[in-house]
Amino acid sequence: MPREIGFLGMLVPGLLPILLACAVLFVGLDLTLSRTGLYRHVWHPSLFRASLFLALFSAAGLTLGR
């Protein structure tokens, strides 16, 4: 994957498409987990959400960013 991608005359980081895809995936996963009631069993839901997004983005970035 290139380090920068040309987009409308600007150079954006190569991880930006991965970040956007992970954000969409996270929103869907968050809605699913909310509806199933998982967050009632989690000690700190905001911290869990942040760490879930970080884990998704890190895994995708390490896998696809090579």
Side-chain angles (χ1 to χ4, degrees), residues 6-43:
F7 180 71
L8 297 175
M10 299 180 299
L11 290 176
V12 296
L15 286 175
L16 184 64
I18 296 173
L19 176 82
L20 296 176
C22 285
V24 170
L25 179 66
F26 171 73
V27 168
L29 188 59
D30 187 48
L31 287 173
T32 304
L33 293 177
S34 300
R35 290 182 182 157
T36 59
L38 178 86
Y39 290 134
R40 289 181 297 175
H41 304 289
V42 175
W43 171 67

Side-chain angles (χ1 to χ4, degrees), residues 51-65:
S51 62
L52 179 64
F53 178 74
L54 185 64
L56 283 173
F57 180 60
S58 298
L62 287 173
T63 303
L64 302 174

